[in-house]
Amino acid sequence: MAKEKRKGKYVPLEWEPSAANPANFQIPSREKKILKVTNPLGSRSSAVHQHPTGSPYNVTSSNEGRGEEANVSPHVINVTKKSNFTSEQGGTTSNGSRARLHSTPAQEPSPNGPDSGRSTSFIKQTQPEFQNATKEALPALETTTLASRGNSQQWRPDVYVQAFVPQSLKAINDAPASLVTTQPVDGIDFGKYVSTFAGTHFLPTLDKPPYPSVDGNLPVDSLDGILPENYEQYFTDCLVLDLEAQIPEYRSYDLFRVSLKLLDHAQQIYLLRVPGVREGTPSVDFGDSVMLRQLILNPVTGSPRGMDLWLTPGIGRDRGTPCPGFAGVQIQATVVGIDKANEALILKVNGLALLGTPVCNVSFVVQASLVQSMQRAVADVQQELGRGTGSAKSSKTSKDTVIEHITDYRLVNKDKMTEARNSTDCRPAGFQPQSSLSVTVDRSPSTETSQGNSASSECPTTGSWLRAMLFPSKSNGIQQKAFPSARFTQTWFDTSLNYEQKKAVDAVQSRYYGTFGYLINGPPGTGKTKTICEMVTQLGNDSALTGSILLCAPSNPAADTLTLRLKAYFGPKQMLRLNAFSRTFAEVPQELLPFCLVENDIFSIPPLPKLMAYKVVVTTCRDADILVQARVTNRDLVSLQENLFMAVHPDRSSGFSTEAPLHWTALIIDEAAQATEPETLIPLTVVTPPTAHVCTPSPIFVMAGDQHQLNARTYHKSTTLHVSLFERLSNHPIYASHPLARKSLHRALQSSPMLRPPFVNLVRNYRSHSAILAIPSSLFYANTLIQEATHIDTLQSWSGWRGRRWPVLFACNGGMDDCEDIRTVGGGWYNRREAQKAIAYVLSLIAEEMIVEQSEICIMSPFRAQVNLLRKIARESSLSGVNIGPMEAFQGLENRFVIICTTRSRKRFLKEDKMRGMGVVDEKKKFNVAITRAKEGLIILGNPWVLATDPCWLAFMNFCRRNSLWSEESEKEDARMQGLEEASVNEWRPPQRSGNGDSHDEAQISGLEAGLIFKERNKQAGSRAARRFMSGSESQEDTLWRTGLAAEEALEPMEP
């Protein structure tokens, strides 16, 4: 590349980077020193500044006239960008370190905003693998002297740009390689298990489902596209697209040039440090595969050997010569242990060359087991539903290009070239692109339509029973001709149940509602799990109910909680906690081990006679696939009985009774709103009755959950996979338009006759103060929540409360949010001022002896970096007992005092937050979960200008403002946010009311809020009405009472 030499600077005349003509721009180190590159040890990855042209900013250099293998000393380079930086940022080094860009303030701050007023960053080079970064990533730069620095152009870095990785290391991951596999860990041998009771003839082992194809014609972004005739293809599309969307995240976890520590030479066991594995980033389980490529390093520089020459156009790589920088082998290592406390994996590795300490590139791949069980379930359901009309031929769409974006990678075998998956592809084993693999779908006409011909509710056939569970219609219900009795005849095991909870148990036990899936809609703190446990106990002790109950939850902790609560009623011989073989013993509570089966040092499934004897089997939705593969579903067991009967009695082919009782008589799923619909299908296929089998009574299917709390995490943003079956049914007219539905409760008496409700709405909250529940009740639960908690006023004497001194406070925070590492899952954003204020509140509570146990306080933030900062400050303040974590980790939990750090203080990042699913703005379910964790006290730290863009947060802030539950004193503007509206948090005011009587603010004055004000006013006046109100229990705030209070409040202006 030609250069023009001028006094004091080198100006590149031309620079057009391309694969065929890489840049070869060398910067002399003798020029005046402007930039330095420093590489302090840090986290594995970080954001990289980006020039407005789009090129990542990573500046490195090498000594003039020296090649890659020269002994290069750290030195300074003379180069600057025509731009300024805003904050400390950095780029990722190949050994997991972080190169950080340090900013220093300019002499005269610019008035153009918070990102101005910065001098050019100073960088120092210390890592040899960065010596050729200039030729890989450096855009057209202009070198300058200190005197010319003031003429640089203002610009903003792209904090979301991918971290820089040297081309030499990336090329190694893309190079051809021979595949060496490591023996997988021993799991459950289902073929052997089935043969113990069915031989090899009657129930063959299930084959693994092939990798599915995508039909681009289905509207997977709309729930209206889910129909009985295309059910399998719809969710197949969703699963495949979601699996493909995981690839970028898994690739972001790749580690480059990391060392493995040998633990056991004889067994080839190594230790690999993986930052983030403790938090599930990446998510790795026992038995998973991890891909390794061993590097061959130059002993002098420590860089991969000979890569410069090999990457030169027209030489090594272009001629097909082997890559000299690694051993030419891709090793599929097996995870045999996980040490989350020390963020380490224990690997069994075959094929490593023992040349000192092994140094490798590490890639994490999506495990095929994540989709196989769900794909099998949706195919099974489609077969039972009956296929509709249509063509099996799929058409190419843009979705197919997602799947085919990597098609030509090859692995070199000793004898021949074979097509296989590349390690950086992150695809599950067995993946093939759409062009070479498809699944033929039978689209023959079906005798059933979307409404279907259903049998009677007492004894439906398989197709109609499963259709009624997934696609209910009025014909599945029973008309209610009289008001139900409020008396219950059961002897309750838990005598503290309220009316709604007893009603749910009685309805399921009597099955008076018809052939529907029964939904228990339970807002936070209303006792969903308590209701489920009583229901299971009643069914398990019902002499009229033969067979077993399958009890599921989306996660292992939730399933463990169910088992812990039920162990008081069922012993180890009556209840089984079924675990996947990949689960470690350390994850299981000690008191639950007697309820588990362990064989050969792994969790397993009991022999068939013992399994059939259990009254209750508790497992996760995904681990219910163990029962499917063990061939002990209702259909398999009936088929086994029929086949054995016909084998023993060949002359009595019609003598087998189709009225035999089913083994699995009930499926109950707790926290069902947190599972995807395909996950829910796995246990549903276990209890589904066989075709043409007359099942009297039909299996019970119950789901408990709350569709307004967090759902399952999915990766593809444009599909409906995140919508649970519980939520989809809750929005179905059978449930949503019923006169007793939550949103229709005030009109219930106007609708008659009606179907007996196949659901119950839990309304009594036993967790939180009314002030904490007021806004969630109004926004999400149609103003139906009734506060029943006791001993919730013990913190109201704390000096930090404001206004009416209710235990809720919105504390304004004007500190600027900073970015540490945007590739951190959960976000690399933190807010130091906010963190310090949060810890100050904790110290105040403890100093005033409001709270004695630190564990009774929790601090949550949606950003991982803020969580880390909070933990650091808490440890420095001797507050290590305080629970600090991301918001998602607290779902299902409760704390006496909750502090929520919203962290974000600049609007310009909200769009990216929404795209990446970060933050709390425009995240209704995350907002609801965060607010409703608190029992006695709640503090929100945030920037009102930012939060006001979200209707939910605006409603909450309006609630705080009108009741003076607001703190903004001594909140100084952050100098770095000069010129931004968000800097002046003291100037924020709620939007003006429209004056037409239907303003957003007035509509969200809940009955709970009105009730608090009513009691407060009448208590102050000492009125008779107040004495009458206070003499009763809080449960007197029923719907009519609270509606009357709200009407009374509307007649008079609110107090300031």
Side-chain angles (χ1 to χ4, degrees):
M1 181 179 64
K3 302 176 189 174
E4 178 184 354
K5 186 172 183 179
R6 302 177 185 171
K7 184 176 181 179
K9 60 170 62 179
Y10 280 78
V11 181
L13 299 182
E14 296 179 353
W15 192 85
E16 297 182 3
S18 66
N21 182 28
N24 189 23
F25 178 41
Q26 301 294 327
I27 305 172
S29 60
R30 61 177 178 267
E31 293 292 320
K32 195 169 187 64
K33 299 173 177 56
I34 299 296
L35 288 178
K36 300 179 181 178
V37 179
T38 59
N39 184 24
L41 293 178
S43 62
R44 171 166 50 92
S45 61
S46 179
V48 179
H49 290 289
Q50 182 167 339
H51 189 268
T53 60
S55 302
Y57 189 98
N58 272 278
V59 183
T60 59
S61 67
S62 61
N63 288 344
E64 291 181 287
R66 297 189 181 183
E68 180 192 21
E69 302 184 13
N71 185 10
V72 182
S73 302
H75 57 277
V76 189
I77 60 176
N78 173 28
V79 62
T80 62
K81 263 190 180 294
K82 299 186 293 183
S83 56
N84 294 328
F85 296 95
T86 64
S87 61
E88 277 194 7
Q89 303 294 340
T92 303
T93 66
S94 60
N95 67 346
S97 302
R98 178 169 57 230
R100 188 178 293 278
L101 304 182
H102 299 272
S103 300
T104 56
Q107 296 178 355
E108 295 183 7
S110 170
N112 294 333
D115 295 315
S116 59
R118 301 280 178 177
S119 68
T120 309
S121 300
F122 291 83
I123 309 174
K124 181 179 179 181
Q125 164 69 12
T126 59
Q127 290 294 333
E129 64 268 22
F130 276 94
Q131 294 169 18
N132 297 293
T134 300
K135 66 177 73 175
E136 297 168 11
L138 192 64
L141 303 180
E142 178 181 352
T143 58
T144 182
T145 62
L146 286 170
S148 62
R149 184 172 56 185
N151 296 327
S152 60
Q153 179 183 352
Q154 300 291 333
W155 69 286
R156 288 179 171 178
D158 184 355
V159 296
Y160 296 99
V161 72
Q162 285 291 322
F164 171 76
V165 176
Q167 181 63 29
S168 59
L169 292 172
K170 291 191 292 186
I172 287 174
N173 277 9
D174 297 338
S178 57
L179 179 64
V180 174
T181 60
T182 303
Q183 181 181 3
V185 297
D186 294 329
I188 301 174
D189 188 340
F190 289 104
K192 183 178 179 180
Y193 180 85
V194 174
S195 67
T196 61
F197 63 88
T200 58
H201 176 69
F202 299 111
L203 288 175
T205 305
L206 291 177
D207 295 327
K208 291 182 179 181
Y211 200 91
S213 61
V214 170
D215 182 350
N217 294 322
L218 295 180
V220 294
D221 59 344
S222 171
L223 293 175
D224 295 335
I226 305 177
L227 300 172
E229 55 267 23
N230 67 6
Y231 192 83
E232 177 185 5
Q233 194 61 62
Y234 182 95
F235 281 107
T236 294
D237 287 8
C238 290
L239 288 171
V240 173
L241 293 175
D242 195 69
L243 188 67
E244 291 296 323
Q246 295 182 44
I247 293 177
E249 179 167 322
Y250 272 78
R251 296 194 70 170
S252 72
Y253 301 137
D254 287 354
L255 303 175
F256 297 91
R257 217 193 72 168
V258 295
S259 300
L260 302 181
K261 180 180 179 181
L262 180 63
L263 299 180
D264 189 324
H265 176 69
Q267 299 187 52
Q268 296 180 302
I269 304 297
Y270 293 83
L271 182 142
L272 170 66
R273 301 282 182 182
V274 182
V277 74
R278 174 172 28 188
E279 308 287 350
T281 56
S283 176
V284 182
D285 291 325
F286 176 79
D288 285 356
S289 296
V290 175
M291 299 300 178
L292 307 176
R293 293 201 171 197
Q294 186 175 5
L295 307 183
I296 300 176
L297 303 178
N298 183 293
V300 178
T301 66
S303 300
R305 186 181 65 186
M307 292 300 295
D308 262 3
L309 184 62
W310 188 74
L311 290 172
T312 302
I315 303 183
R317 181 170 59 177
D318 292 349
R319 295 181 179 181
T321 59
C323 178
F326 87 116
V329 174
Q330 176 171 290
I331 302 171
Q332 183 175 318
T334 301
V335 179
V336 296
I338 304 174
D339 183 0
K340 290 189 176 181
N342 296 307
E343 296 197 313
L345 301 180
I346 312 300
L347 305 177
K348 183 174 179 60
V349 186
N350 291 344
L352 276 181
L354 299 179
L355 302 174
T357 301
V359 179
C360 303
N361 283 358
V362 181
S363 298
F364 300 93
V365 297
V366 181
Q367 307 301 318
S369 59
L370 294 178
V371 294
Q372 287 176 348
S373 58
M374 291 185 285
Q375 175 62 22
R376 183 190 293 116
V378 295
D380 198 2
V381 168
Q382 182 68 82
Q383 183 179 0
E384 297 298 339
L385 288 175
R387 302 187 184 280
T389 59
S391 173
K393 184 177 180 181
S394 62
S395 61
K396 286 279 183 179
T397 68
S398 59
K399 297 178 182 177
D400 297 300
T401 63
V402 176
I403 297 177
E404 294 181 345
H405 78 277
I406 301 178
T407 57
D408 296 328
Y409 287 123
R410 296 172 180 268
L411 300 180
V412 180
N413 190 277
K414 292 183 179 180
D415 301 322
K416 61 180 180 179
M417 296 284 289
T418 58
E419 288 202 5
R421 173 175 48 90
N422 185 270
S423 69
T424 59
D425 191 358
C426 306
R427 301 170 187 270
F431 172 84
Q432 294 186 27
Q434 289 296 109
S435 57
S436 60
L437 176 64
S438 62
V439 178
T440 303
V441 180
D442 179 10
R443 300 290 188 181
S444 57
S446 172
T447 58
E448 297 180 329
T449 64
S450 61
Q451 293 297 322
N453 301 317
S454 63
S456 66
S457 61
E458 287 79 11
C459 49
T461 59
T462 296
S464 60
W465 182 86
L466 194 56
R467 186 183 294 266
M469 300 302 107
L470 300 176
F471 301 95
S473 64
K474 290 184 178 180
S475 62
N476 302 123
I478 299 175
Q479 287 285 340
Q480 179 171 305
K481 299 179 180 179
F483 288 108
S485 173
R487 297 181 179 180
F488 306 104
T489 60
Q490 295 92 335
T491 299
W492 302 105
F493 292 89
D494 186 347
T495 58
S496 64
L497 283 116
N498 61 41
Y499 172 77
E500 292 81 17
Q501 293 168 332
K502 291 179 179 179
K503 180 181 176 182
V505 175
D506 181 70
V508 171
Q509 199 169 3
S510 62
R511 314 183 200 195
Y512 77 90
Y513 51 86
T515 307
F516 287 119
Y518 192 85
L519 304 186
I520 301 175
N521 191 304
T526 54
K528 295 185 294 295
T529 301
K530 185 176 185 176
T531 308
I532 288 294
C533 290
E534 179 68 24
M535 185 180 295
V536 171
T537 307
Q538 290 286 347
L539 293 175
N541 289 275
D542 189 346
S543 58
L545 184 68
T546 60
S548 298
I549 302 167
L550 181 58
L551 179 59
C552 295
S555 65
N556 276 312
D560 290 341
T561 298
L562 291 168
T563 312
L564 287 170
R565 294 196 182 188
L566 288 171
K567 72 183 184 70
Y569 308 105
F570 300 96
K573 292 184 178 180
Q574 298 172 296
M575 181 170 62
L576 170 69
R577 174 64 175 96
L578 183 63
N579 296 286
F581 81 93
S582 59
R583 196 178 188 200
T584 62
F585 296 142
E587 299 176 56
V588 182
Q590 191 70 24
E591 56 267 44
L592 290 189
L593 289 177
F595 295 87
C596 309
L597 179 68
V598 179
E599 288 184 349
N600 301 321
D601 295 327
I602 62 171
F603 290 111
S604 188
I605 183 173
L608 183 69
K610 188 176 180 180
L611 178 64
M612 297 292 102
Y614 287 111
K615 195 65 179 177
V616 180
V617 176
V618 187
T619 188
T620 66
C621 293
R622 289 198 179 190
D623 290 346
D625 189 59
I626 297 173
L627 301 174
V628 176
Q629 295 190 67
R631 307 305 300 273
V632 291
T633 67
N634 274 337
R635 285 166 298 158
D636 286 333
L637 292 173
V638 172
S639 176
L640 175 62
Q641 296 177 58
E642 184 176 5
N643 291 337
L644 285 173
F645 179 87
M646 296 181 65
V648 175
H649 305 285
D651 56 337
R652 298 172 59 187
S653 59
S654 61
F656 179 75
S657 174
T658 59
E659 298 183 3
L662 299 174
H663 175 73
W664 303 103
T665 53
L667 168 62
I668 302 175
I669 303 178
D670 194 15
E671 300 295 352
Q674 298 179 34
T676 64
E677 185 160 339
E679 281 182 288
T680 306
L681 296 181
I682 299 173
L684 191 60
T685 59
V686 174
V687 304
T688 299
T691 305
H693 185 77
V694 179
C695 48
T696 306
S698 60
I700 296 171
F701 179 36
V702 179
M703 292 187 291
D706 180 10
Q707 68 271 28
H708 299 295
Q709 296 191 62
L710 292 175
N711 43 28
R713 184 191 179 194
T714 56
Y715 296 85
H716 200 284
K717 304 302 182 183
S718 300
T719 71
T720 61
L721 187 61
H722 65 281
V723 180
S724 64
L725 177 61
F726 181 91
E727 182 173 356
R728 183 169 71 83
L729 291 182
S730 295
N731 294 326
H732 192 282
I734 292 291
Y735 301 88
S737 300
H738 194 279
L740 295 180
R742 195 179 294 273
K743 66 180 181 180
S744 306
L745 196 55
H746 302 285
R747 306 189 304 270
L749 298 179
Q750 302 174 10
S751 301
S752 184
M754 60 184 177
L755 293 178
R756 293 178 179 175
F759 61 89
V760 69
N761 294 316
L762 304 182
V763 296
R764 303 175 192 274
N765 181 283
Y766 297 92
R767 175 185 297 168
S768 305
H769 190 281
S770 295
I772 298 172
L773 292 176
I775 292 301
S777 178
S778 174
L779 291 178
F780 306 110
Y781 305 111
N783 206 19
T784 59
L785 294 188
I786 301 173
Q787 192 270 332
E788 292 274 3
T790 58
H791 308 293
I792 54 174
D793 296 327
T794 58
L795 300 179
Q796 285 193 264
S797 60
W798 179 52
S799 62
W801 301 128
R802 298 289 185 270
R804 298 185 185 275
R805 303 196 62 79
W806 297 345
V808 173
L809 179 67
F810 185 91
C812 295
N813 173 54
M816 192 176 83
D817 46 4
D818 293 299
C819 179
E820 178 188 66
D821 179 0
I822 201 60
R823 293 203 315 170
T824 302
V825 172
W829 293 94
Y830 66 95
N831 192 311
R832 185 170 297 277
R833 183 189 294 187
E834 179 186 73
Q836 292 170 341
K837 289 168 71 77
I839 299 301
Y841 281 125
V842 175
L843 291 172
S844 175
L845 285 164
I846 295 176
E848 296 183 28
E849 298 183 351
M850 294 289 102
I851 292 181
V852 177
E853 296 294 332
Q854 294 183 11
S855 59
E856 295 180 323
I857 304 174
C858 90
I859 307 176
M860 61 180 73
S861 172
F863 296 100
R864 187 77 60 177
Q866 182 71 348
V867 170
N868 295 336
L869 178 61
L870 284 164
R871 288 172 177 169
K872 178 177 180 293
I873 299 177
R875 286 193 299 268
E876 294 171 350
S877 305
S878 301
L879 297 174
S880 56
V882 177
N883 291 317
I884 301 175
M887 289 181 175
E888 296 82 356
F890 290 96
Q891 175 148 316
L893 303 178
E894 60 185 34
N895 279 82
R896 190 177 172 196
F897 200 99
V898 172
I899 301 175
I900 301 175
C901 296
T902 59
T903 306
R904 175 66 67 216
S905 62
R906 286 180 288 176
K907 294 180 184 178
R908 71 183 184 95
F909 294 110
L910 291 179
K911 183 178 180 181
E912 285 285 349
D913 284 351
K914 187 173 182 179
M915 291 175 55
R916 298 169 182 270
M918 302 189 306
V920 291
V921 178
D922 291 326
E923 295 280 348
K924 295 191 298 183
K925 296 183 178 182
K926 195 179 292 185
F927 165 87
N928 189 31
V929 167
I931 296 292
T932 54
R933 298 310 95 194
K935 297 171 64 177
E936 300 181 43
L938 172 67
I939 295 178
I940 308 294
L941 286 159
N943 188 301
W945 294 103
V946 174
L947 297 179
T949 62
D950 180 346
C952 293
W953 281 110
L954 179 60
F956 182 84
M957 291 191 297
N958 287 342
F959 165 79
C960 293
R961 289 286 300 193
R962 65 176 171 255
N963 294 295
S964 301
L965 312 175
W966 193 272
S967 174
E968 60 186 22
E969 62 268 18
S970 303
E971 190 61 26
K972 298 180 181 179
E973 292 188 9
D974 192 319
R976 298 175 298 168
M977 297 177 64
Q978 182 181 1
L980 292 182
E981 178 185 53
E982 300 94 298
S984 303
V985 295
N986 298 342
E987 297 179 6
W988 184 85
R989 296 292 181 271
Q992 293 294 323
R993 298 183 182 184
S994 60
N996 56 11
D998 60 350
S999 72
H1000 189 73
D1001 182 54
E1002 293 174 345
Q1004 291 175 349
I1005 299 177
S1006 70
L1008 290 174
E1009 180 184 355
L1012 283 170
I1013 299 175
F1014 178 82
K1015 288 188 294 184
E1016 180 181 283
R1017 289 177 175 174
N1018 287 286
K1019 183 178 180 180
Q1020 293 171 354
S1023 70
R1024 191 174 186 185
R1027 288 194 298 272
R1028 176 179 176 274
F1029 184 92
M1030 297 301 293
S1031 66
S1033 65
E1034 196 77 12
S1035 62
Q1036 290 179 350
E1037 290 185 349
D1038 56 16
T1039 302
L1040 296 177
W1041 179 265
R1042 289 183 289 103
T1043 303
L1045 294 178
E1048 180 179 342
E1049 285 298 320
L1051 296 177
E1052 56 185 6
M1054 300 293 296
E1055 290 184 355

